[in-house]
Amino acid sequence: MSKESILIVEDEEKILRLLEIELEFEGYELGKATNGIDALEAYLSKKWDLILLDVMLPGMSGIELLRRIRLKDSLIPVILLTAKDSIEDKVSGLDLGANDYITKPFRMEELLARVRAVLRMSQATNSITLEDDEWLHVGDLKVNEKTREIVRQESDIDLTPKEYDLLLYLLKNKRQVLDRDQILEAVWGYDYDGETKIVDVYIRYLRKKVDANYDQPLIHTVRGVGYVIKDAT
């Protein structure tokens, strides 16, 4: 079984070396770059399973590099490494399609947990063969897991990677009421110190894109429990 490969893009030598040591110990195959230009070349040189991407980089910012990556590839998972107070970078990164972010200074155990969670979700997305021409359905909404196409009433819907992960989890458990802890563990893979409000935030984002412009809502709140996706029948 081949090792999962991670491209580390980080210009701070101590952080880069620490990540290299810890991730090699965990058994990952690694590549590394210390500036945006070299990172773009490294990204184009081979197929990676995950990119750890620092936002503040010489040559080309991490945000610009992420934008260029997403123009070519909507699937490769990207975790941003951001400064503690860089709210704009976090928002920009998520809007451009980052799967997750972690702020510096970070605990290595948390970073490793997030790496495992993002890789696990990516593997699940890529490994399942779907019936009915590989489309998942609920009501008039359908999702193709291989191509990541999302269509409702013949209109395409664009989601960020995390919104897509959330929708996919709901669809794979359609008509099942899922509590916030279940969703948090399945989609994020860790628990933000017990904070589940992130689930509510992303459900709200998802509803704006999936339900807001249609007569029949598909994502429903079950008071005191959580959420369920189902049609009217």
Side-chain angles (χ1 to χ4, degrees):
M1 184 176 178
S2 60
K3 294 181 178 180
E4 291 169 308
S5 59
I6 299 176
L7 175 60
I8 308 170
V9 185
E10 172 59 65
D11 67 324
E12 294 185 49
E13 184 177 347
K14 290 183 179 179
I15 295 177
L16 177 61
R17 183 57 183 154
L18 178 62
L19 290 170
E20 188 178 13
I21 291 171
E22 293 289 345
L23 291 168
E24 279 185 345
F25 181 79
E26 293 294 318
Y28 298 109
E29 177 188 342
L30 302 179
K32 54 186 179 180
T34 57
N35 64 74
I37 303 300
D38 289 347
L40 182 59
E41 292 182 3
Y43 159 70
L44 295 171
S45 70
K46 65 166 288 181
K47 181 176 175 59
W48 301 94
D49 294 304
L50 172 69
I51 299 176
L52 283 176
L53 178 57
D54 185 28
V55 169
M56 300 296 292
L57 292 171
M60 180 193 304
S61 74
I63 296 298
E64 174 61 18
L65 179 57
L66 175 61
R67 187 188 70 81
R68 296 193 186 193
I69 289 172
R70 284 293 178 244
L71 288 174
K72 298 179 64 67
D73 187 344
S74 64
L75 298 180
I76 183 170
V78 177
I79 298 176
L80 294 179
L81 307 177
T82 71
K84 187 174 182 180
D85 57 351
S86 59
I87 301 300
E88 290 183 3
D89 287 336
K90 295 170 188 175
V91 172
S92 297
L94 291 172
D95 284 345
L96 284 171
N99 297 72
D100 200 358
Y101 68 84
I102 188 167
T103 56
K104 300 178 183 178
F106 51 80
R107 293 175 58 188
M108 186 55 63
E109 294 84 355
E110 183 182 5
L111 182 137
L112 293 174
R114 297 193 188 196
V115 166
R116 289 192 295 269
V118 170
L119 286 172
R120 187 166 59 245
M121 180 62 71
S122 177
Q123 290 165 358
T125 298
N126 293 330
S127 66
I128 296 175
T129 300
L130 305 174
E131 298 178 354
D132 190 19
D133 295 327
E134 298 171 350
W135 290 90
L136 286 170
H137 297 263
V138 62
D140 54 6
L141 174 72
K142 60 181 183 178
V143 175
N144 187 309
E145 193 171 8
K146 279 195 172 180
T147 64
R148 298 175 75 95
E149 293 174 89
I150 304 145
V151 179
R152 187 166 186 189
Q153 294 182 9
E154 308 309 317
S155 297
D156 293 333
I157 297 173
D158 293 323
L159 300 180
T160 67
K162 190 58 69 178
E163 291 166 352
Y164 174 83
D165 290 344
L166 176 56
L167 177 61
L168 196 64
Y169 180 65
L170 293 173
L171 276 172
K172 288 180 177 178
N173 296 276
K174 65 182 179 181
R175 292 188 286 276
Q176 296 183 44
V177 178
L178 303 166
D179 66 39
R180 291 169 178 81
D181 288 326
Q182 285 177 286
I183 296 171
L184 195 65
E185 176 61 27
V187 177
W188 279 265
Y190 52 91
D191 64 7
Y192 288 101
D193 296 325
E195 179 59 75
T196 58
K197 289 183 180 178
I198 190 71
V199 174
D200 300 324
V201 170
Y202 271 82
I203 287 287
R204 186 168 69 249
Y205 292 162
L206 199 56
R207 278 175 164 156
K208 287 181 179 179
K209 298 180 179 181
V210 171
D211 278 346
N213 298 318
Y214 302 92
D215 294 333
Q216 179 61 54
L218 297 174
I219 302 170
H220 304 272
T221 301
V222 180
R223 286 187 180 277
V225 183
Y227 300 98
V228 60
I229 192 167
K230 62 180 182 178
D231 55 23
T233 58

